[in-house]
Structures are given as C-alpha cells and as structure tokens.
Amino acid sequence: MTPVRWRATTAVAAVLTVLAAATACARPGAGDDRILVYDGGPESLVQDWAHAFTAATGIKVTLRTGDDTDLGNQIVAEGAASPADVFLAADAPAVAQVEHAGLFAALDRDTLAQVPPRYRATTGTWTGIAARTLAFVYDPAKLPADRLPASLLELAQPQWRGRWGADTGGAEFRAVVAAVLAQQGEAAARTWLQGARADAVTTQSPGAAMAGVDAARYDGALVFADHWFRDRAGGDDRVADRSAAAEHSDHTAPHFFASPDPGAVVSVSAGGVLKSSRNQAAAQQFLRFVTGAAGQQLLHDGTAMEYPVAENVPAAGALPPLDPQAPQLDPGVIDAAQVARLVAVPAPK
C-alpha cells in the first residue's frame, strides 16, 4: 500500500536525492517493509514525511489519521495488542497519556541525538518532531494594540466575555489547559478554565474561530499560530470544516503573548515507537528520518508552518523567531489524567 492520502510537493522532491543516499545502506529486510502510523499530527506534513520516507527506503507507510487525544485513548485501550508501529501527536497531553501508560519503546540513540534535549524525553521514549506557539488572532481595525490582552489569563476575566472565540472542546485546547496547569497549578487552572469557557464563543475548529474574527462577530480568537500562517499561505488542512476555513485571515493579525506568560508556551508535537510494533526496525527508521535533516527540511520548505526541532534547520521565513525564554509544554511533566479531569468538568451555564 502507498501512504493513505498523500500529497507530493516540491519540498518532498527536493529531499529525495539526499535521503536516498543517506538510507541506501539501511533498507530493512523482508517482512519489515511496511508500518502503520497513528497520525494525530499536522496532516499534510505527515503525508509528506510518509511519501518521502517510502520513496527513499521502500518501506510503505499507512496513516490512520485522527484527533490525537482519540488516538492516544485508542492506543491505551489496545495496549500490547495495538497494531500501530508509530504514534505522532500534535499536542503534549496525548503523548503524555501514552508515555504514562508505559507503551512507548526506547528510541534509538541516533534518533535522540538529532533533537536538542529540550525537545525530547529524558527517558528516551519520545522525541519532538515539530514545535508551535499560541496566538490571539485579532482585527487591528477593531482592536487597537493597547487594548490587546497582555496575558492569556486575562481571557477568563469578565471584560472579555463574548469577545473571543476558541474551539474549547478540541484537543488543542487541552494543550492550552495543560500550559496553565503546568505554570499556575491545579486550582488556578480550574478557575481559569471555568472563566474561559464562560467567556469564549465556542467554535467547532480553530479555523472557524478565526473566521468569526474575520467576519467581525467578535474581537479575537485563541489558536495555535500555525493555523493563521497556513491560512495566509493558502489553506489550513487541520480544519475539518473547509467552508469555515476558507480565506478567513484577510483582516486579521496574530498577537503573541510575552514570556513568561503561559500564553507564550512552546508546544511540542512529538512521536514515539510503540512497544507493540511488529516492525521495530522500520518504525525506528521512520522516526529517525522525521527528526533528521531531510525530514525537518520539510518543515522549512512545506506548508505546515510549524518550527523544526532540529537545530540546523531554520523555520519557514514567515514565522517569527521563537522566544528562547518561552515556557515549554513538556509531555514528560504533564499529568494527562489531571488535564482530562479538568476538561471533563461541565462548562458553566
């Protein structure tokens, strides 16, 4: 089988020659020629990774794409019987859930060596594959710079009620809750979450939240910034509702929170090889490619608009530099069960 839903790009083509040379001596033997990846990451990027990897190594990749929280729950439910070889997740809580269940295998040293320590587990069981940060998307014509929220925490205060949108039921919002929890503690995170849910206009996707700003229905939207940059570049493939996602950033701009505010958090998309994998060698090779120079170059050349985690690969030119002092949302220190309990509390009426 070829990768499920893949899209060839010039960025993929550019890395194939280099990658083929690097992996020509590393082709797996018979029986190790296919892997199943549970894909909760950026869809077009993972498709490009899968296509380039298959073209260079001959290892075929099947992608089972879905919400990373749902896929993480599925892996935990499947346990040692999971058919997945690799799990890729866009947000830290899903990675933390699988790690805390003890379902990740140790990663190869060569893979870990390609990623700076701040972007991988001290246990060696998962590694960052990309990074991103939050943005408050707003209409500069309606909301002057001096009236923007200085802190993520302000959005839970009464003066912001009904003035901003967010997909408060989505997996990405769990990452926001996890950032507040990690920095402020459980009591403060619970209070913030209750206020935010009461204040926010709930949408079905980050793209729909931005569309509400562009249509002047409210003043701002809380999203991860990659959504805004992808929309400006021509489309956001993470949004299920394409009608709501089409060209909804024309009148907007991103506002970034300053460190050490929890809104300045750098969220790490991560991946790991499952202990249940029947193709350990091929699965390890796939993550080694994703975190290597050729795989990370696809973040620079492609449309994901996320930050590479490899130090020798620059981010796409449209992205502002990451604040080196920004707090990091580390899956290794997240209590995924605690985040789930907080989010499961019904929203105030």
Side-chain angles (χ1 to χ4, degrees):
M1 295 178 64
T2 54
V4 177
R5 298 200 307 270
W6 61 269
R7 176 176 58 83
T9 67
T10 56
V12 174
V15 304
L16 288 182
T17 302
V18 174
L19 182 59
T23 59
C25 298
R27 292 179 181 270
D32 288 334
D33 62 347
R34 63 184 64 246
I35 58 173
L36 172 62
V37 176
Y38 279 15
D39 166 28
E43 187 174 343
S44 66
L45 175 62
V46 178
Q47 290 167 2
D48 287 347
W49 276 333
H51 174 59
F53 178 73
T54 297
T57 67
I59 302 171
K60 297 178 176 62
V61 180
T62 297
L63 302 178
R64 183 172 296 173
T65 301
D67 176 273
D68 59 4
T69 299
D70 292 341
L71 291 173
N73 288 335
Q74 182 175 341
I75 290 170
V76 172
E78 293 168 342
S82 178
D85 298 290
V86 175
F87 178 42
L88 304 181
D91 298 298
V95 181
Q97 179 184 20
V98 175
E99 182 183 34
H100 292 169
L103 298 176
F104 281 138
L107 291 177
D108 289 347
R109 290 182 180 179
D110 289 346
T111 300
L112 296 173
Q114 296 180 141
V115 181
R118 66 183 178 277
Y119 291 137
R120 53 180 167 83
T122 56
T123 60
T125 56
W126 60 263
T127 180
I129 55 175
R132 55 192 181 141
T133 191
L134 283 170
F136 185 75
V137 173
Y138 71 105
D139 182 348
K142 288 189 60 182
L143 192 62
D146 61 359
R147 291 171 54 196
L148 288 167
S151 168
L152 172 69
L153 303 178
E154 288 184 21
L155 294 177
Q157 296 175 0
Q159 67 267 28
W160 282 98
R161 184 155 298 178
R163 296 177 57 200
W164 61 285
D167 178 11
T168 58
E172 292 188 356
F173 196 74
R174 288 183 179 229
V176 179
V177 174
V180 179
L181 175 64
Q183 188 180 96
Q184 303 290 317
E186 183 172 358
R190 182 181 295 107
T191 299
W192 180 85
L193 177 58
Q194 290 173 347
R197 281 175 160 174
D199 292 350
V201 177
T202 299
T203 67
Q204 296 302 308
S205 70
M210 292 193 297
V213 182
D214 206 46
R217 291 194 292 271
Y218 39 77
D219 293 342
L222 184 66
V223 299
F224 277 97
D226 54 294
H227 291 290
W228 187 87
F229 283 105
R230 275 201 304 276
D231 188 73
R232 296 295 290 174
D236 188 346
D237 65 8
R238 288 194 195 212
V239 179
D241 183 357
R242 295 299 300 163
S243 64
E247 299 181 359
H248 52 245
S249 59
D250 285 348
H251 306 104
T252 65
H255 165 62
F256 297 97
F257 300 103
S259 298
D261 190 79
V265 69
V266 174
S267 181
V268 179
S269 300
V273 172
L274 296 174
K275 289 180 180 178
S276 63
S277 171
R278 296 173 178 82
N279 300 305
Q280 287 283 330
Q284 294 279 356
Q285 190 175 351
F286 178 73
L287 269 188
R288 191 160 59 250
F289 159 65
V290 166
T291 57
Q296 292 290 289
Q297 189 66 32
L298 289 173
L299 282 156
H300 175 275
D301 298 340
T303 60
M305 293 300 172
E306 299 190 29
Y307 293 88
V309 293
E311 290 184 315
N312 59 341
V313 179
L319 298 179
L322 282 177
D323 181 352
Q325 303 302 317
Q328 183 172 318
L329 190 54
D330 184 344
V333 300
I334 290 174
D335 186 335
Q338 189 178 24
V339 173
R341 286 194 300 271
L342 286 171
V343 174
V345 176
K349 295 182 179 180

